[in-house]
Structure formats: structure tokens, C-alpha cells
Amino acid sequence: MTAITLDTISREYGSGVFGVKDVSLTIEEGEFMVLLGPSGCGKSTTLRMIAGLEEITAGRIRIGKRDVTDLPPRARNVAVVFQSYALYPHMSVRENMRFGMKMRGTPLAEQDVRIKDASEILGLVPYLDRRPGALSGGQRQRVALGRAMVREPDVFLMDEPLSNLDAKLRGEMRQELVKLHRRLGKTMVFVTHDHIEAMTMGDRICIMRDGHIEQVGAPLDVYANPANTFVAQFLASPTMNLIAARLSVAAGVLSIDAGPIAGVLPPAQSALYSHAASEPAILGLRAEDVLTEATSATLPFTGKVVMREALGAENLIGVEAGGATLSARTGRHFLPDFGDQVTLHADMSQMHLFNAASGAAYRRKA
């Protein structure tokens, strides 16, 4: 297994325009790291720099103990799986998997063993003599993975490999990739703009914006403790509710005024956020923390239903209240009509608080 170290790497295109700037990141041996962010954030550029397909204009990259910054792609012992599959249409599955090994002079007997092993792991044995045109999208993606596997690389790099698949196949392939990672134990770097892929697949996720890293951590930890409003909104659908707010202290009690949500905070949050009193702030609440029933930690608000999505197992509704529209994730039996006035309850025990000027989160953990 092989670690990857990015040491303040940059990619400048000239005239001060950067695709990636001063990115430092250590990807541990055998880790499944997901690079997540919107289009143009630098995640694919970072992956291509690791692969040697994109010039590094500053910084260093190490794969294992080797400094590969100036090495060509073929000398880095990495395998790249692209969104487009990039299979040879005139070759069978077997020959697609064999081609790279043949070019590198791998003995024929070893080629056959590697193809057999990879095709058994990926369920490709029945399709080895078919051409890509006779395969489904999911099968072609498996062939692309198989072609990478037979190289026996130190590192797998995957650039949005599931983007061309339909929703059902994406879900299946997510599970297959996680199983493959556990079976091979190899270091994998996976680029995506899909927060569901990031949350369900990554050992850790690295969220990027404008060529910089915003936050790195285990998926559930990042979800529970976003570093700023960008991360808070990007790592969820619907995005986190964000409302301008101000805290105030009276007689030793901390209260919040956030448009439709106002009142005394629970003791734990009062102790946690007292240092932010009187500063302009932003209240953050995830949709699942807007409840249909009151608890000892909730503050009520009333508004008009302006959005509703019935998803079967749950419902999403949007409520316009006090000039803000708040999203709520409710049980399947709570689905009011458009225009209905409803009272919901903000669970303040799950609140997030951000600095209004910088967007940075106030410390949430005691």
C-alpha cells in the first residue's frame, strides 16, 4: 500500500490564473479519499497532477517514498479510470484488458492470470469475448476498472467514473467500488461533484473550492461539523438552512433572534455560543433538524408551504416564514398542501452558528 503526499502544489495557467493553488494533503496508505467540489474547483486538476497528466508549476508530490513531481505518467505506477471509459471499440473485453500489459512487455502467461483474476473479481468472465458496444454502461465501467487492475498499480485514480451511469447503476457501482477497495486494499483517489458518492464511499473527503481545500475529514464528521457555510451547504441536499441571526445575553440567559426563529437557547448551546453574543452571525439548521413535533430543545415558527416533494419514505417541504424559506425533511405521513400554514420546530440542540463576515463556523464541540 502506498501513501500520497501533496506538498503545497499549484497549477498556474499564466497571468495569475490558478487551477489549483498551494494545496497540501496527505492521503494515507490504503485510504479511499474523495475529492469533492463544484465544477471548476480544482479537484480533477489535482487528480491529473497526481497522475502526471497536468503540469505542476509549484510544490512537490510524493507517492510512497518516491518524489514523482518530475516523473512522466508511465513512471508513477498509477492507474487512471476516466468518466468516458476510453475503451477500444474494435477490441474484445479480454483484449482491452490485455493491451496495456502487452505494450509493457508483460509475459503472456502472466497477462492471462491477471485478466482471469480481475474478471472474476469484477464479474466480467461471461463478457470477455464481447466488444464494448455489446455491453451496458455499468459493464463498460467494470472493464475500465479491470484494465486498471491488471496493471497492478500502487494507486488508483478515478475521475468522476460514475457520471455517465443512470441513478440505479450509480448506486450499484458505488457499492461495487467500496467492495473492490476493501478487497484490494489499495490507495484510491476518487473525484466527484456528488455529495452522496462522497458520503457513502470515502474514508475521508476533501472539499475544494476555487483551487483551495476548504475541509478534510471523515464524511460524517464533516457533515456534523462543517468548517464554514460553503461546506455546510455543499455537503447536503437540500442545502443547510442559513438565516441571519444575532445572539444576546440578558440575566445570564442567551437568546437568539434569527428571523422567524427566536427565543432562549438550550443550556448546552448557551454555554457553547455565549462568546458570539452581539456579533452578526448566521444560524444553520439542516432540514432533518426542522421537526414537526416540539421538544424541550426546539423553538417554534409558523409559515406558508411553498415547496413539497413526496419521496415515498420521507417528504421534503419548504416553508416561507419571516422573509426566509426553510427546508424540512419530514416523515412520510406529514405532507401539507401548497399554501397551507404550518408550525414547525427548530431543534436548537443541533444548531450551527457561523460568523456573518467570514462564513467560518463558531466552535461547535465543547
Side-chain angles (χ1 to χ4, degrees):
M1 294 189 290
T2 306
I4 303 170
T5 304
L6 312 182
D7 185 3
T8 57
I9 63 170
S10 296
R11 175 64 170 109
E12 184 179 8
Y13 296 108
S15 303
V17 176
F18 287 85
V20 169
K21 188 172 183 181
D22 298 332
V23 163
S24 293
L25 178 68
T26 297
I27 301 166
E28 304 294 344
E29 293 184 4
E31 185 173 35
F32 197 126
M33 172 65 77
V34 177
L35 304 183
L36 174 68
S39 297
C41 72
K43 57 188 186 297
S44 290
T45 301
T46 300
L47 181 130
R48 291 174 63 84
M49 293 165 77
I50 297 171
L53 301 174
E54 190 87 26
E55 180 187 359
I56 300 168
T57 52
R60 312 299 296 177
I61 293 180
R62 291 191 302 278
I63 298 179
K65 296 181 180 180
R66 296 189 304 153
D67 187 325
V68 301
T69 308
D70 301 316
L71 294 182
R74 65 180 179 275
R76 300 189 181 200
N77 198 26
V78 301
V80 186
V81 179
F82 295 103
Q83 177 181 346
S84 62
Y85 316 138
L87 302 177
Y88 297 108
H90 61 287
M91 294 183 182
S92 68
V93 168
R94 190 191 312 275
E95 293 309 311
N96 264 283
M97 295 172 69
R98 187 188 303 279
F99 184 77
M101 294 186 290
K102 185 188 297 185
M103 292 298 99
R104 288 187 295 275
T106 305
L108 182 60
E110 187 175 347
Q111 293 178 28
D112 289 338
V113 169
R114 292 188 190 182
I115 290 171
K116 177 177 179 294
D117 290 345
S119 59
E120 287 178 350
I121 290 172
L122 295 169
L124 290 172
V125 173
Y127 312 107
L128 285 174
D129 296 317
R130 295 189 189 181
R131 293 184 177 181
L135 303 176
S136 69
Q139 290 164 346
R140 277 178 280 182
Q141 190 56 270
R142 286 186 174 89
V143 177
L145 286 168
R147 186 176 56 187
M149 286 173 59
V150 297
R151 289 192 55 189
E152 297 187 346
D154 292 328
V155 172
F156 286 87
L157 306 174
M158 305 183 191
D159 192 1
E160 304 217 35
L162 309 185
S163 295
N164 288 337
L165 304 180
D166 62 39
K168 181 175 182 294
L169 275 177
R170 281 202 306 274
E172 293 173 355
M173 284 303 298
R174 285 200 303 267
Q175 297 175 33
E176 292 300 322
L177 282 172
V178 170
K179 291 178 185 176
L180 180 64
H181 174 249
R182 290 181 176 178
R183 184 162 184 172
L184 298 179
K186 294 292 185 76
T187 305
M188 295 186 177
V189 184
F190 185 97
V191 164
T192 183
H193 63 272
D194 186 325
H195 73 278
I196 295 177
E197 289 180 4
M199 290 291 295
T200 56
M201 297 173 67
D203 293 325
R204 286 192 300 158
I205 57 178
C206 171
I207 299 181
M208 300 185 67
R209 175 173 59 162
D210 298 334
H212 298 277
I213 292 176
E214 294 288 326
Q215 188 171 359
V216 181
L220 291 177
D221 187 53
V222 175
Y223 187 84
N225 300 286
N228 52 43
T229 53
F230 174 80
V231 173
Q233 290 205 294
F234 194 82
L235 197 64
S237 180
T239 62
M240 181 183 283
N241 298 303
L242 297 178
I243 314 164
R246 187 175 289 273
L247 304 182
S248 59
V249 179
V253 175
L254 188 67
S255 298
I256 189 168
D257 183 356
I261 300 172
V264 175
L265 291 179
Q269 282 60 47
S270 181
L272 194 58
Y273 294 124
S274 59
H275 64 287
S278 302
E279 295 182 9
I282 297 172
L283 169 66
L285 281 172
R286 295 211 181 274
E288 58 267 30
D289 298 323
V290 179
L291 312 178
T292 56
E293 300 290 339
T295 73
S296 60
T298 58
L299 293 176
F301 66 94
T302 299
K304 180 175 70 174
V305 175
V306 294
M307 183 276 289
R308 49 175 262 166
E309 294 180 356
L311 303 178
E314 63 182 14
N315 299 315
L316 295 177
I317 64 172
V319 174
E320 190 176 80
T325 300
L326 305 180
S327 298
R329 193 187 303 274
T330 70
R332 61 181 178 176
H333 299 300
F334 186 88
L335 186 62
D337 289 328
F338 286 103
D340 281 358
Q341 290 286 323
V342 296
T343 297
L344 298 175
H345 305 269
D347 185 356
M348 306 310 288
S349 70
Q350 300 300 315
M351 67 176 280
H352 300 260
L353 197 69
F354 304 93
N355 183 282
S358 67
Y362 287 104
R363 187 169 59 90
R364 189 162 182 257
K365 287 185 175 180

